[in-house]
């Protein structure tokens, strides 16, 4: 979603800010801008479109100065044009603000400010903040920001500079991630660590209700009552190469090809082969506590929600515990049956998705214990969950999630092994068999990737389709959902995932010779059932693309295209079957000329509700 980066130090700020913005562009990218303090005051330059356009503009009109803030926007209030791009200026032109989040009482505040003579030039809620801070300003920027924020309802991650109280950045957080990067006689503020990783690895995560004041010499963190808070400095292990494309045409392709390694990393050191279970150091739950849960609720959004559905199957099958999967955005607007006997598993690649975070907090309020399955170390969900399992998949930059998904499935299986063995529902022998299957996964994913060309050929054939149907059963029904989501996210082809047998209750009406239908049909316990569904599609002249795992006479003459994946146990099929579907979406999108890493309207990390 929107990204923030700020710099205060001895260097010229613009190139540092532009570099940070480019690294944030994957989060959201309909417009961007910078505000730099130079001798003459605060100068803003902003532009609709990609960062490259802002960069060209800055090349024509360079702005000198060593303190600045910058923003890449994903529109919430007002269209993505130059006027609505951040930073927003106060009426007197002395204060610049960048903001992620939504000011919920913006209309009331705007009326109040208009009554006092402020004139609004944009459609954004952020401009309210800029004028409000000016209204509260009495020589000291942090006091003004504090006073303004007391009047604000909603969510924010903000960074503010002023030409009057200059050479400092004031930043504050409520519901939208922000971190401080600590350098040598220079400091940074950012919404995402990737923006500053090339300059420092020492960071401080701000919590909700905290404000930071940064200058060249150091930083202070205070609460909303201006009481100073001592913060822990965290060290980031990710290296720069991980957030660069490394020779691949797109981050998405790089991340698809990283999966042998990322799946390995998720499992590393956690498998106890002989005991048929796993060792998970971050759960913060004793065996007694784990045994005390009567039910599990898994909550997530998007791709993470799909992995949750696979987790539900695994946990119910192997740990024999009732599991509900909830869209995080729906969960807290119902009255879910969640109490202290409930374990709430929260899945999020970014660890910052606003709805998922809110759902986790709601589950906590109701007494549940919470476990975060998160990729981004130090993210809000990771910090606020009672315990967790890090995915260790490394930074995922491509907006369409790929490697995080396969790691989520593996992490869910690790937890299932642990709980299943503890509850006595899973035998040591079956646990060890599953682990043997898991150990083979990285090599098997590699085998799939080696044959990427076959998928590219299928993509060539179907790149002009206007609709796709994805069908799977059992463990592979969520894979069908995920395959369809990948395709629509990046190629803009309408695609639906369905449980294969449900097709008869609706989507079958859509099938004709123009409709490609992707079947996820490996040799598993429901293979025979899905064979009948393939026949039903073929009888209506649908075009069948099947992901299979062995030569099946039952499918003779039925398939227009077949992609064979290696055999594995049923519950690991989703990991192998999803890889060709990721590639299919990727190649179709590239062949249609779509911008795979920056699909229109989408954001990597959705930090507003
Ligand atoms: C956005 C992303 C998706 C992601 C979803 C949930 O919509 O574009 O790729 O699956 O958010 O994100 P999370 O970080 O919570 O897994």
């Amino acid at each position: 979603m929107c990204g923030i980066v700020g710099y205060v130090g001895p260097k010229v700020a613009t190139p540092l800010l532009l570099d940070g913005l480019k690294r944030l562009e994957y989060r959201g990218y309909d417009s961007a801008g910078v505000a730099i303090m130079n001798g003459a005051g605060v100068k803003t330059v902003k532009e609709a479109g990609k960062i490259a356009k802002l960069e060209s503009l800055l090349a024509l009109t360079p702005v000198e100065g060593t303190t600045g803030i910058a923003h890449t926007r994903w529109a919430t209030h007002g269209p993505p044009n130059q006027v609505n791009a951040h930073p927003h200026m106060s009426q007197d032109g002395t204060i610049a603000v960048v903001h992620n989040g939504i000011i919920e009482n913006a209309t009331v505040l705007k009326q109040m400010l208009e009554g006092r003579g402020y004139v609004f030039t944009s459609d954004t809620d952020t401009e309210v903040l800029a004028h409000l801070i000016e209204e509260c300003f009495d020589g000291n920027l942090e006091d003004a920001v504090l006073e303004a924020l007391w009047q604000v309802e909603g969510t924010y991650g903000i960074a503010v500079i002023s030409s009057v109280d200059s050479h400092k950045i004031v930043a504050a957080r409520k519901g939208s991630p922000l971190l401080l990067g600590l350098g040598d006689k220079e400091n940074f503020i950012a919404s995402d660590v990737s923006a500053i990783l090339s300059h420092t690895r020492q960071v401080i995560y701000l919590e909700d209700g905290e404000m930071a004041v940064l200058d060249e010499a150091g930083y202070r963190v205070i609460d909303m009552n201006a009481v100073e808070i001592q913060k822990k400095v965290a060290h980031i292990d990710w290296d720069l190469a991980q957030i660069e494309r490394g020779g691949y045409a797109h981050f998405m392709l790089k991340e698809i090809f990283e999966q042998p390694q990322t799946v390995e990393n998720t499992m590393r050191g956690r498998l106890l082969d002989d005991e048929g279970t796993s060792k998970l150091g971050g759960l913060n739950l004793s065996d007694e506590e784990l045994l005390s849960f009567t039910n599990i609720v898994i909550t997530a959004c998007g791709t993470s929600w799909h992995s949750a559905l696979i987790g539900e199957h695994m946990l119910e099958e192997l740990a024999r515990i009732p599991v509900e999967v909830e869209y995080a955005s729906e969960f807290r607007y119902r009255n879910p049956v969640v109490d202290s006997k409930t374990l709430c598993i929260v899945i999020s690649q970014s660890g910052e998705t606003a709805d998922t975070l809110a759902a986790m907090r709601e589950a906590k309020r109701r007494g549940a214990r919470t476990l975060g399955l998160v990729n981004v170390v130090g993210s809000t969900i990771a910090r606020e969950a009672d315990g967790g399992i890090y995915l260790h998949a490394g930074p995922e930059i491509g907006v369409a999630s790929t490697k995080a998904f396969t790691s989520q499935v593996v992490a869910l299986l690790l937890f299932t092994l642990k709980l299943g063995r503890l509850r006595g529902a899973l035998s040591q022998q079956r646990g060890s068999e599953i682990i043997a299957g898991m150990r083979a996964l990285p090599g098997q994913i590699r085998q799939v990737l080696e044959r990427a060309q076959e998928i590219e050929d299928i993509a060539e054939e179907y790149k002009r389709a206007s609709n796709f149907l994805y069908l799977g059963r059992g463990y592979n029904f969520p894979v069908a959902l995920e395959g369809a989501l990948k395709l629509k996210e990046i190629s803009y082809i309408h695609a639906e995932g369905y449980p294969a047998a449900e097709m008869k209750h609706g989507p079958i009406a859509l099938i004709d010779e123009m409709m490609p239908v992707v079947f996820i049909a490996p040799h598993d316990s429901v293979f025979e059932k899905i064979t009948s569904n393939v026949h039903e599609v073929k009888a209506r002249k649908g075009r069948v693309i099947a992901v299979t795992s062995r030569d099946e006479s039952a499918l003779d003459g039925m398939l227009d295209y077949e992609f064979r994946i290696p055999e594995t146990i049923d519950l690991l099929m989703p990991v192998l079957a999803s890889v060709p579907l990721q590639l299919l979406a990727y190649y179709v999108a590239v062949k249609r000329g779509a911008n795979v890493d920056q699909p229109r309207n989408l954001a990597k990390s959705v930090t507003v509700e």
Side-chain angles (χ1 to χ4, degrees), residues 107-303:
T107 313
V108 178
L109 291 171
K110 187 173 174 185
Q111 280 164 1
M112 181 271 283
L113 288 161
E114 279 173 337
R116 294 186 194 174
Y118 288 88
V119 178
F120 284 75
T121 54
S122 78
D123 310 310
T124 67
D125 50 341
T126 304
E127 195 183 354
V128 169
L129 272 178
H131 296 324
L132 189 61
I133 295 169
E134 178 189 330
E135 177 72 10
C136 300
F137 190 81
D138 191 17
N140 179 298
L141 186 60
E142 56 264 37
D143 289 351
V145 174
L146 210 55
E147 195 180 325
L149 290 181
W150 273 107
Q151 300 173 56
V152 160
E153 284 163 25
T155 56
Y156 51 79
I158 55 167
V160 190
I161 55 173
S162 154
S163 57
V164 179
D165 187 11
S166 57
H167 300 296
K168 65 161 78 153
I169 299 174
V170 175
R173 166 191 170 141
K174 186 178 158 212
S176 219
L178 267 189
L179 52 91
L180 276 58
L182 310 180
D184 183 17
K185 299 195 187 66
E186 59 182 6
N187 288 303
F188 299 83
I189 187 85
S191 52
D192 180 327
V193 73
S194 52
I196 56 168
L197 204 56
S198 50
H199 309 288
T200 178
R201 280 156 195 285
Q202 305 298 112
V203 304
I204 288 177
Y205 295 103
L206 286 189
E207 301 293 340
D208 283 352
E210 292 181 350
M211 179 191 276
V213 186
L214 299 91
D215 58 24
E216 246 185 78
Y219 69 90
R220 269 185 322 121
V221 177
I222 55 176
D223 68 13
M224 296 300 287
N225 295 309
V227 175
E228 196 151 338
I229 302 170
Q230 294 308 314
K231 298 286 290 179
K232 269 214 309 254
V233 178
H235 182 83
I236 304 294
D237 292 331
W238 289 356
D239 71 53
L240 210 52
Q242 286 180 294
I243 57 166
E244 287 174 346
R245 281 207 313 264
Y248 284 91
H250 296 96
F251 279 111
M252 182 180 177
L253 191 63
K254 175 183 176 233
E255 288 157 6
I256 291 172
F257 273 82
E258 277 173 2
Q259 288 175 108
Q261 196 56 51
T262 50
V263 160
E264 181 88 56
N265 290 348
T266 307
M267 298 188 291
R268 177 164 298 117
R270 289 168 161 174
L271 292 173
L272 300 176
D273 303 58
D274 294 341
E275 292 150 56
T277 186
S278 68
K279 188 172 69 187
L280 296 166
L283 296 183
N284 291 335
L285 286 167
S286 66
D287 287 357
E288 291 67 38
E289 285 171 310
L290 274 171
L291 284 170
S292 72
F293 298 120
T294 55
N295 66 317
I296 294 179
V297 168
I298 315 182
T299 186
C301 299
T303 289

Side-chain angles (χ1 to χ4, degrees), residues 340-477:
S340 59
K341 294 272 179 214
T342 308
L343 175 67
C344 178
I345 301 179
V346 183
I347 309 179
S348 175
Q349 185 287 127
S350 62
E352 301 292 353
T353 302
D355 283 321
T356 312
L357 177 60
M360 180 177 86
R361 289 176 177 162
E362 178 60 27
K364 271 192 164 187
R365 258 192 300 278
R366 290 170 181 259
R369 289 292 289 263
T370 54
L371 203 63
L373 257 67
V374 172
N375 192 35
V376 178
V377 175
S379 56
T380 311
I381 292 175
R383 294 201 308 279
E384 289 192 17
D386 297 316
I389 306 172
Y390 275 125
L391 303 181
H392 297 308
E396 189 178 70
I397 309 285
V399 169
S401 183
T402 52
K403 62 176 181 174
F405 174 73
T406 44
S407 282
Q408 285 163 352
V409 175
V410 168
L412 282 159
L413 184 51
L414 289 169
F415 181 68
T416 304
L417 288 172
K418 167 98 187 160
L419 195 63
R421 292 288 292 124
L422 258 184
R423 288 170 61 92
L426 174 69
S427 70
Q428 174 270 320
Q429 193 194 346
R430 175 108 166 95
S432 297
E433 277 165 22
I434 292 169
I435 290 178
M438 293 171 85
R439 293 241 182 244
L441 272 182
Q444 291 180 319
I445 298 173
R446 216 164 273 126
Q447 287 170 30
V448 171
L449 293 170
E450 277 160 10
R451 289 168 34 234
Q453 182 62 48
E454 291 174 39
I455 302 284
E456 193 168 350
D457 295 343
I458 301 175
E460 181 62 32
E461 175 78 21
Y462 293 104
K463 67 183 181 195
R464 288 189 195 85
S466 350
N467 296 288
F468 262 77
L469 202 54
Y470 286 71
L471 301 176
R473 302 184 76 140
Y475 278 109
N476 291 313
F477 159 52

Side-chain angles (χ1 to χ4, degrees), residues 21-41:
L21 284 183
K22 282 187 205 156
R23 294 187 191 277
L24 288 176
E25 200 171 22
Y26 75 99
R27 292 177 58 110
Y29 31 74
D30 53 43
S31 53
V34 298
I36 310 276
M37 204 123 56
N38 63 15

